[in-house]
Amino acid sequence: MGQAVQRRFVGVTAVVAALGLTAALSGCGADGGSGDVTLKLVAADYGTGAENSSQKYWDDLAAAFEKKNPGIRVDVTVRSWKDVDREVAEMVKAGEAPDIAQIGAYAEYAEAGDLYPASEMLAIRTESNFLPSLSDAGKVRGSLYGLPFVASTRLLFYNKGLFDAAGIDAPQTWDDISSDAEALKKKGVTYPFALPLGPEESQAETLMWMLSGNGGYTDDAGTYVIDSAANVETFKWLQSDLVGKGLTGPVAPGKLDRATAFEAFTKGEVGMLNGHPTLMEDAEKKGIEVGMVPLPGADGPTEGSMGVADWMMGFKQNGHRKEIGRFLDFAYQDENVLAFADAYDLLPVTGSASAEMEADAKHKPLHDFLSALPNSQLYPFGKTSWAQVSEAVKEKIGSAVEPNGNPEIVLGDIAAVARDAESAQ
């Protein structure tokens, strides 16, 4: 759910015929010849192998679009999440930008002037249909450049069977988490609370906990406040009341990746952890009865969930503004948005598709995640500095909760990286 929904749903490289990454025009296109244009689209793979690769979705979408839009062809290249952002960056650097990219980050391209703003590509009805919280996260200097593609939110997952065996109820506060974890530990649960602060996706786990303590990466004005008093207190609590009491399992949080924690949950080895929709389905397939509640906060349930989004963008290089816009207007029709969300248990990013999902009983398992999305807090995607800050979090945050760690110093170090990155712009 970029890193978001990867972070989240990392796929392997699709086994597909490699499509050329350089511009291919079936006619003169922008030069004014036959009017035929070939759009290059590079997209991330949300699948876990060839059998559920995103390639099929994009090939089907391209074929349907071409049928309705004679004269425009769409060449699709799907790459794994571990490669796609780097490959697009290399293409742009080499002067071979795609026309459309569906990847994890947009801000650097927007700042460099490489992208069309949404207002120059999309029909008004398309642009206005994005959920406001996601649309806001896609803006640079007030203009929308990163078009939300799919989204996810996070809730606290707990194993109902383990909770019943320990005679405990779902937690609502930090104190509840600690006492529930102690009860689970007494019952021999391997990971009473799995706390993945390893390098895979600790920037997500970090934000969830910051929000639960009334903090966050930035303030309302968008300024980094990583080492705020609220954030420091949150990590002091994690250090003393979870890690320090031996309630986070046999692997130190700084060494525990999300994928490992999720796998342990599906095996019945985890009492509680923060999860997303895909984990719900995976766990239930393994016979785990899953309970879900908003992440507990210091005094009660956290009011805003963490949200994750990935992005679509249109590059200026080949001059195909109108054709890109036509394709994007088509891609964001409800049936197409919902088809992708359905395929990967993700959330739609438009108001109309969200309303349709909410009204459909077959999507009931996703309704709690869907209701959390409008008020969700996303990473500061619009900051070109975010990539550096995210890497610093992945590298350092695990040490904040070590027995001899110092949360104030660790958060201060990350805040210094943020300041330096901001000043370098």
Side-chain angles (χ1 to χ4, degrees):
M1 63 213 302
Q3 294 283 327
V5 205
Q6 156 236 356
R7 309 171 233 313
R8 333 142 335 215
F9 313 110
V10 177
V12 296
T13 304
V15 182
V16 296
L19 297 171
L21 296 183
T22 56
L25 295 178
S26 56
C28 296
D31 295 328
S34 68
D36 287 350
V37 166
T38 295
L39 296 177
K40 284 189 306 177
L41 185 151
V42 179
D45 192 356
Y46 290 74
T48 55
E51 71 284 350
N52 69 340
S53 169
S54 302
Q55 185 79 38
K56 182 180 187 306
Y57 171 84
W58 288 112
D59 285 346
D60 290 347
L61 186 72
F65 173 77
E66 289 170 358
K67 187 175 181 179
K68 294 185 176 182
N69 294 271
I72 306 177
R73 292 185 59 247
V74 183
D75 279 350
V76 177
T77 302
V78 172
R79 291 289 184 261
S80 74
W81 266 116
K82 65 182 180 181
D83 297 323
V84 69
D85 286 286
R86 173 182 52 79
E87 290 191 8
V88 169
E90 290 171 353
M91 293 166 67
V92 173
K93 186 175 181 180
E96 298 174 349
D99 294 288
I100 302 166
Q102 185 274 297
I103 52 178
Y106 67 85
E108 187 172 350
Y109 303 121
E111 287 285 0
D114 295 331
L115 303 179
Y116 290 114
S119 60
E120 293 183 11
M121 298 185 295
L122 304 182
I124 293 174
R125 65 180 180 276
T126 304
E127 183 177 0
S128 63
N129 198 20
F130 292 121
L131 294 173
S133 62
L134 302 179
S135 183
D136 288 346
K139 292 179 179 179
V140 172
R141 297 183 303 278
S143 295
L144 180 63
Y145 289 93
L147 313 181
F149 178 63
V150 284
S152 175
T153 54
R154 305 293 170 89
L155 296 171
L156 179 78
F157 283 39
Y158 64 96
N159 183 315
K160 286 186 175 180
L162 295 179
F163 267 58
D164 289 345
I168 53 178
D169 297 320
Q172 297 188 46
T173 66
W174 286 355
D175 286 344
D176 292 343
I177 288 178
S178 184
S179 61
D180 285 352
E182 287 178 341
L184 292 164
K185 182 179 180 181
K186 289 177 182 177
K187 286 291 185 178
V189 176
T190 305
Y191 293 88
F193 195 107
L195 184 66
L197 293 176
E200 181 195 350
E201 203 198 10
S202 53
Q203 81 281 7
E205 190 75 16
T206 295
L207 179 55
M208 283 182 274
W209 284 104
M210 286 178 169
L211 292 173
S212 77
N214 298 312
Y217 284 123
T218 59
D219 61 19
D220 292 342
T223 302
Y224 283 117
V225 288
I226 293 168
D227 56 349
S228 68
N231 291 339
V232 170
E233 285 304 309
T234 295
F235 278 85
K236 283 183 176 179
W237 182 85
L238 289 170
Q239 181 189 44
S240 61
D241 285 56
L242 280 187
V243 181
K245 293 180 179 178
L247 302 177
T248 53
V251 180
K255 302 292 184 183
L256 183 65
D257 281 338
R258 185 210 57 184
T260 302
F262 279 17
E263 183 179 7
F265 187 82
T266 66
K267 293 178 178 178
E269 299 172 352
V270 175
M272 295 173 277
L273 85 176
N274 291 314
H276 56 52
T278 300
L279 175 61
M280 173 185 64
E281 182 178 354
D282 291 347
E284 290 176 347
K285 285 179 180 177
K286 297 289 183 66
I288 304 298
E289 190 176 1
V290 180
M292 295 178 293
V293 293
L295 179 62
D299 303 311
T302 304
E303 291 187 6
S305 170
M306 189 197 80
V308 176
D310 294 323
W311 308 97
M312 190 100 82
M313 60 211 71
F315 283 85
K316 292 180 177 179
Q317 181 180 306
N318 302 315
H320 297 152
R321 177 180 62 82
K322 290 183 179 179
E323 294 84 359
I324 292 170
R326 286 171 70 179
F327 178 79
L328 293 175
D329 284 336
F330 181 79
Y332 281 107
Q333 291 176 8
D334 286 355
E335 62 183 293
N336 298 323
V337 172
L338 286 168
F340 195 92
D342 279 346
Y344 299 103
D345 289 317
L346 296 170
L347 304 178
V349 296
T350 63
S352 56
S354 295
E356 186 170 335
M357 178 177 278
E358 190 170 13
D360 192 335
K362 78 174 184 179
H363 292 119
K364 187 176 180 180
L366 294 175
H367 286 177
D368 285 345
F369 296 96
L370 193 64
S371 64
L373 186 58
N375 295 318
S376 64
Q377 174 80 39
L378 282 76
Y379 304 133
F381 285 112
K383 289 178 171 288
T384 57
S385 58
W386 170 241
Q388 289 176 258
V389 175
S390 177
E391 288 304 311
V393 173
K394 293 179 184 179
E395 177 186 347
K396 300 174 184 291
I397 198 63
S399 62
V401 298
E402 291 176 354
N404 296 319
N406 187 316
E408 190 168 8
I409 290 176
V410 173
L411 290 171
D413 288 345
I414 298 170
V417 171
R419 287 192 295 271
D420 290 346
E422 287 278 273
S423 63
Q425 293 180 24

